[in-house]
């Protein structure tokens, strides 16, 4: 499934948060206001020009001496405090006196004669009190404004907390309408034709509801999309909304549940009320198993918050009227744990399976994801689709993205087949570790181990063809053999399981034949082989001794969506028989692997020697070597 990023609206930040951009913005505003106030005060106090020149500052005795000597021509008293003196030589002076004192009396007290005072021109001017008044006004007003602003911020914070407390019961669904919604339609969804056909009726009902209501038909009220992760369930729901052109309410199942009992139910009611007011509309609940688990499976009893939320969902869905034109679409990858009441007719009465795409679907998905990208001419979409069995839509998108990143890292202008092949192995196994230093003996052991896998898989009839073999470490593996089927396989026979397990045992068998010892390199092979052998016996009834019967598989209780304990429906004797049968299957497969390698020992040695030299072989080079065509002048294989 083509998975595009969800462009749903993000939730606004809390205005009262200390680290939110709103709080930082308010702090900046406060500092700007304080800076302006300080600047105004500085200009008023220190930048106010005076009409009279101050000159040198004099004391009273100096002023009296200058007047007595006849050097003063003019004295001006301004504002009752400032005394400006103009001397006969053109210079000026300044003297500050107290407002209540009389300058003439003080001068006479200092011995200035009346005739000297009479020779001076005295004058008085009214002082400018604007500066003092503004300063006093600012001193009174500015603190008051700051206090009012702080009180307003406190009240706003309290009001925001109250609103947040009261909004617990409101739905947190993101609403995407026509103008805001990217035009996601069925054309953007590839690889799920059956799901499109199932949902086409939903689209037609949303477009023309009267056509169905007039005939008495009831469109499914709920559509449950089931599939593994990455198959595009969310994108398919958005495509339905895009085709129908209706508001799209998107919410996750976990967003209903809070620590307070009843909040989830309240949010469900609010969500459905909002959807009904904007009908026709679609409600999409992602991961509905978060609230839709089987009731009575948890530890909270009947008053568990999750169960209250589920009960409200059941009531709202059952209360739909024919004229509401609201359809709920839900997605989950765990349908086995959903409550049966959700799946009954009248609620989620239609189930759409979103499985991993087949080879044709993978090709269509790759075409969608490679559209608009510089793809090299050697890239074959069909070939990529064939070598990626089991990939989901998200895996294929990641595959193309990793290939583009790798091409950019290599300074290429186009994405080639080598980058796509490398990205596929990177997605499956992890990045190559070419810097890892291996000794010659360890490299030889790894080469024979991987050659053992490849030779056994090549000569067994029901094994998948070897696509690539390498001894370059990748991820946690020291080397690996990539075997891929030529076509998608949906059913497996017992013979295929047996050959597959024998192929897994090929590495350990080669170690015993060549080195007569075992290493830890076969640990993962043994785990996978044991798991498959146990599935053959307990799940698929492929044991002749135990017969066509399944063992286990039931569960006594469900807790948080997982088995709390396994209910054993077989006796201790049956358990011992199961262990013995699993052991027999593994030992038989191991002996088949050893006999195959012993029979084709020359091929094993030749393949291992080639891997030590060139480290990597592709499918063509490997098959050429196995078919005995490497005796010519060319080497047995070519590096990839």
């Amino acid at each position: 499934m083509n998975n595009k990023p969800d462009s749903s609206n993000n939730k606004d930040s809390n205005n009262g948060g200390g680290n939110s951009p709103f709080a930082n913005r308010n702090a900046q505003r406060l500092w700007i206001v304080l800076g302006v106030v300080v600047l105004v005060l500085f200009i008023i106090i220190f930048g106010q020009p005076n009409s009279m020149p101050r000159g040198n500052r004099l004391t009273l005795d100096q002023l009296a001496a200058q007047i007595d000597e006849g050097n003063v021509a003019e004295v001006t008293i301004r504002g009752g405090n400032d005394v400006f003196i103009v001397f006969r030589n053109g210079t000026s002076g300044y003297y500050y006196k107290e407002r209540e004192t009389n300058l003439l009396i003080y001068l006479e007290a200092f011995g200035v004669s009346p005739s000297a005072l009479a020779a001076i021109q005295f004058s008085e001017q009214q002082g400018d009190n604007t500066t003092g008044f503004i300063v006093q006004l600012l001193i009174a007003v500015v603190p008051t404004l700051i206090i009012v602003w702080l009180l307003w911020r406190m009240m706003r914070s309290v009001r925001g907390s109250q609103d947040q407390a009261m909004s617990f019961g409101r739905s947190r669904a993101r609403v995407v309408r026509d103008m805001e919604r990217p035009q996601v339609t069925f054309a953007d969804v590839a690889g799920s034709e059956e799901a499109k056909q199932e949902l086409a009726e939903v689209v037609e009902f949303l477009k023309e509801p009267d056509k169905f209501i007039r005939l008495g038909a009831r469109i499914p009220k709920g559509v449950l999309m089931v599939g593994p992760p990455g198959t595009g369930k969310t994108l398919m729901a958005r495509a339905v909304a895009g085709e129908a052109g209706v508001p799209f309410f998107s919410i996750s199942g976990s967003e209903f549940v809070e620590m307070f009992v009843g909040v989830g139910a309240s949010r469900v009611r609010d969500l459905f009320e909002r959807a009904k007011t904007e009908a026709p509309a679609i409600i999409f609940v992602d991961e509905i198993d978060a609230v839709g688990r089987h009731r009575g499976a948890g530890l909270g009893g009947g008053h568990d918050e999750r169960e209250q939320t589920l009960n409200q969902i059941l009531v709202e869905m059952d209360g739909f009227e024919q004229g509401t034109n609201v359809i709920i679409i839900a997605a989950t990858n765990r349908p086995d744990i959903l409550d049966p009441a959700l799946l009954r007719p009248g609620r989620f009465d239609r189930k759409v399976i979103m499985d991993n795409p087949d080879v044709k679907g993978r090709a269509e998905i790759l075409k969608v994801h490679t559209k608009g990208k510089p793809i090299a001419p050697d890239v074959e979409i069909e070939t990529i689709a064939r070598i990626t069995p089991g990939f989901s839509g998200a895996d294929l998108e990641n595959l193309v993205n990793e290939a583009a990143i790798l091409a950019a890292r290599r300074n290429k202008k186009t994405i080639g087949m080598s980058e796509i092949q490398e990205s596929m192995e990177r997605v499956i196994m992890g990045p190559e570790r070419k810097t890892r230093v291996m000794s010659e003996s360890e490299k030889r052991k790894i080469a024979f181990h991987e050659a053992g896998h490849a030779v056994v898989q090549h000569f067994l009839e029901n094994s998948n063809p070897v696509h690539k073999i390498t001894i370059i470490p990748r991820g946690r593996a020291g080397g690996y053999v990539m075997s891929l089927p030529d076509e998608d396989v949906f059913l497996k026979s017992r013979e295929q399981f047996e050959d597959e397990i024998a192929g897994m045992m090929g590495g350990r068998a080669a170690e015993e034949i060549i080195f007569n010892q075992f290493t830890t390199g076969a640990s993962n092979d043994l785990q996978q082989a044991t798991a498959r052998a146990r599935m053959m016996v307990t799940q698929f009834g492929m044991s002749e001794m135990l017969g066509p019967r399944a063992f286990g598989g039931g569960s006594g209780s469900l807790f948080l969506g997982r088995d709390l304990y396994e209910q054993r429906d077989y006796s201790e004797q049956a358990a011992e028989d199961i262990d013995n049968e699993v052991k027999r299957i593994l030992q038989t497969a191991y002996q088949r692997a050893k006999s195959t390698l012993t029979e084709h020992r020359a091929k094993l040695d030749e393949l291992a020697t080639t891997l030590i030299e060139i480290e990597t072989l592709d499918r063509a080079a490997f098959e050429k070597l196995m078919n005995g065509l490497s005796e010519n002048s060319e080497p047995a294989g070519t590096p990839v």
Side-chain angles (χ1 to χ4, degrees):
M1 186 61 55
N2 175 20
N3 288 336
K4 293 186 177 179
D6 191 359
S7 60
S8 57
N9 300 331
N10 296 328
K11 288 178 273 191
D12 293 336
S13 303
N14 185 4
N15 291 352
N19 295 326
S20 66
F22 298 98
N24 296 334
R25 202 173 302 159
N26 290 328
Q28 292 176 359
R29 291 172 181 172
L30 176 61
W31 283 109
I32 290 174
V33 171
L34 293 177
V36 171
V37 171
V38 172
L39 181 62
V40 170
L41 290 175
F42 182 83
I43 293 175
I44 291 175
I45 296 175
F46 299 100
Q48 185 70 19
N50 292 312
S51 59
M52 305 291 279
R54 289 179 177 269
N56 298 325
R57 183 158 186 169
L58 305 176
T59 61
L60 186 58
D61 56 344
Q62 291 175 342
L63 177 59
Q66 292 292 332
I67 294 175
D68 194 43
E69 293 176 0
N71 297 329
V72 178
E74 181 181 352
V75 174
T76 302
I77 302 175
R78 183 177 180 183
N81 298 101
D82 299 326
V83 180
F84 297 94
I85 302 104
V86 179
F87 297 98
R88 296 187 185 279
N89 58 4
T91 60
S92 61
Y94 170 75
Y95 168 69
Y96 179 82
K97 75 176 187 67
E98 298 294 335
R99 183 179 296 273
E100 293 82 6
T101 60
N102 191 321
L103 180 61
L104 295 178
I105 296 176
Y106 275 93
L107 291 175
E108 290 177 354
F110 272 84
V112 178
S113 61
S115 60
L117 293 174
I120 301 174
Q121 182 181 355
F122 284 92
S123 62
E124 291 190 9
Q125 294 181 0
Q126 185 178 0
D128 186 8
N129 296 325
T130 305
T131 301
F133 174 75
I134 293 178
V135 171
Q136 294 177 2
L137 181 63
L138 290 176
I139 291 174
V141 172
V142 171
T144 304
L145 292 177
I146 293 177
I147 293 173
V148 171
W149 183 81
L150 291 175
L151 291 175
W152 175 77
R153 288 291 302 166
M154 293 173 60
M155 293 176 62
R156 184 179 180 184
S157 177
V158 172
R159 185 172 64 252
S161 300
Q162 293 176 350
D163 294 342
Q164 185 179 6
M166 298 302 295
S167 65
F168 273 147
R170 299 195 59 186
S171 171
R172 297 183 180 180
R174 277 79 62 191
V175 185
V176 184
R177 296 178 176 85
D178 290 339
M179 294 182 294
E180 304 169 351
R181 181 179 58 252
Q183 295 302 318
V184 180
T185 62
F186 285 153
D188 300 310
V189 183
S192 297
E193 298 303 324
E194 294 81 2
K196 291 182 186 179
Q197 295 174 4
E198 289 288 331
L199 295 171
E201 297 180 3
V202 176
V203 174
E204 189 176 359
F205 173 78
L206 291 171
K207 286 183 176 180
E208 302 180 52
D210 296 337
K211 173 182 176 181
F212 295 87
I213 297 175
R214 185 171 56 251
L215 297 175
R218 179 180 62 83
I219 199 69
K221 297 177 181 178
V223 179
L224 181 65
M225 293 191 294
V226 179
T231 52
K233 299 181 288 294
T234 303
L235 181 65
M236 182 64 77
R238 293 181 59 83
V240 173
E243 291 284 344
V246 298
F248 180 74
F249 293 80
S250 175
I251 192 170
S252 173
S254 61
E255 296 184 45
F256 286 114
V257 182
E258 286 282 354
M259 63 180 295
F260 303 108
V261 175
V263 172
S266 176
R267 288 178 178 175
V268 171
R269 288 191 296 269
D270 182 71
L271 173 60
F272 279 85
E273 288 175 1
R274 290 173 57 190
K276 290 177 182 179
T277 57
E278 300 198 27
I282 292 177
I283 297 175
F284 176 63
V285 183
D286 199 6
E287 305 295 344
I288 194 173
D289 51 275
V291 293
R293 293 190 186 95
H294 199 295
R295 285 172 291 183
L299 300 179
H303 294 285
D304 180 54
E305 168 65 2
R306 185 177 292 107
E307 294 192 4
Q308 296 287 347
T309 305
L310 174 58
N311 291 337
Q312 189 62 44
I313 293 177
L314 297 176
V315 171
E316 291 291 342
M317 291 190 68
D318 203 24
F320 275 173
E321 300 175 359
Q322 285 188 336
T324 57
N325 297 345
V326 176
I327 294 178
I328 179 170
I329 301 177
T332 181
N333 50 21
R334 291 296 307 273
D336 54 312
I337 66 174
L338 294 180
D339 193 278
L342 272 175
L343 306 178
R344 75 160 176 81
R347 292 191 176 116
F348 285 106
D349 42 14
R350 176 168 296 188
K351 184 182 293 185
V352 176
I353 305 299
M354 304 284 293
D355 209 347
N356 288 329
D358 56 10
V359 60
K360 181 180 178 182
R362 291 195 298 272
E364 294 176 355
I365 294 172
L366 286 169
K367 290 178 182 178
V368 172
H369 288 302
T370 55
K371 184 178 180 181
K373 293 183 174 62
I375 303 298
D378 64 333
V379 174
E380 298 179 358
I381 299 298
E382 289 74 15
T383 302
I384 303 172
R386 284 197 302 270
I387 65 176
T388 52
F391 275 47
S392 66
D395 293 331
L396 294 173
E397 180 186 15
N398 190 31
L399 173 71
V400 177
N401 184 63
E402 288 288 340
I405 294 174
L406 186 60
R409 189 183 306 161
R410 295 176 177 176
N411 296 322
K412 291 187 176 181
K413 295 183 179 180
T414 58
I415 303 173
M417 194 67 180
S418 60
E419 283 77 27
I420 293 180
Q421 174 75 27
E422 173 70 18
S423 65
M424 183 190 70
E425 298 174 18
R426 188 184 187 93
V427 169
I428 297 175
M429 301 291 297
E432 283 188 352
R433 296 190 296 169
K434 293 184 178 181
T435 58
R436 179 178 175 182
V437 179
M438 292 187 296
S439 62
E440 290 299 326
S441 62
E442 185 177 10
K443 186 175 182 180
R444 188 166 181 266
K445 290 179 181 179
I446 293 176
F448 273 99
H449 181 98
E450 302 303 334
H453 286 302
V455 171
V456 173
Q457 292 178 17
H458 177 76
F459 286 103
L460 292 182
E461 181 181 358
N462 298 299
S463 293
N464 295 324
V466 175
H467 182 73
K468 182 178 180 180
I469 175 173
T470 181
I471 60 173
I472 298 176
R474 182 181 290 273
R476 300 182 61 183
Y480 63 94
V481 175
M482 181 180 294
S483 57
L484 301 174
D486 292 329
E487 57 186 11
D488 291 336
V489 178
F490 300 101
L491 296 175
K492 275 190 177 182
S493 64
R494 183 174 68 176
E495 291 73 19
Q496 287 176 316
F497 272 112
E498 291 174 347
D499 286 1
E500 187 176 353
I501 295 174
M504 295 176 182
M505 292 294 186
R508 183 181 177 91
E511 292 177 359
E512 183 180 1
I513 293 173
I514 303 300
F515 305 103
N516 196 24
Q517 63 177 203
F518 302 126
T519 67
T520 59
S523 60
N524 188 46
D525 300 331
L526 296 177
Q527 292 175 5
Q528 295 187 22
T530 304
R532 281 169 172 75
R534 183 166 289 275
M535 284 193 298
M536 290 176 61
V537 175
T538 60
Q539 296 183 27
F540 305 134
M542 294 181 177
S543 170
E544 294 180 357
M545 183 183 72
L546 296 176
R549 176 189 170 183
F551 296 87
S555 58
S557 178
L558 289 175
F559 177 65
L560 297 179
R562 295 189 177 273
D563 292 344
L564 183 61
Y565 62 89
E566 182 184 6
Q567 182 180 2
R568 293 183 57 174
D569 55 357
Y570 50 89
S571 64
E572 292 296 332
Q573 180 62 41
E576 184 177 354
D577 294 339
I578 291 172
D579 291 338
N580 292 332
E581 187 65 7
V582 170
K583 180 179 178 181
R584 184 195 64 80
I585 293 175
L586 295 175
Q587 288 182 338
T588 303
Y590 185 69
Q591 294 301 324
R592 291 183 64 201
K594 283 186 65 176
S595 62
T596 303
L597 293 178
T598 302
E599 180 182 355
H600 301 281
R601 172 66 183 271
K603 297 296 182 184
L604 175 65
D605 294 337
E606 187 177 3
L607 178 58
T609 303
T610 305
L611 286 174
I612 293 174
E613 293 176 359
I614 61 177
E615 296 183 336
T616 301
L617 293 175
D618 60 7
R619 178 174 179 175
F622 171 76
E623 292 181 351
K624 181 180 178 181
L625 189 148
M626 289 293 103
N627 293 330
L629 301 178
S630 60
E631 291 82 7
N632 299 328
S633 58
E634 291 187 10
T638 55
V640 178

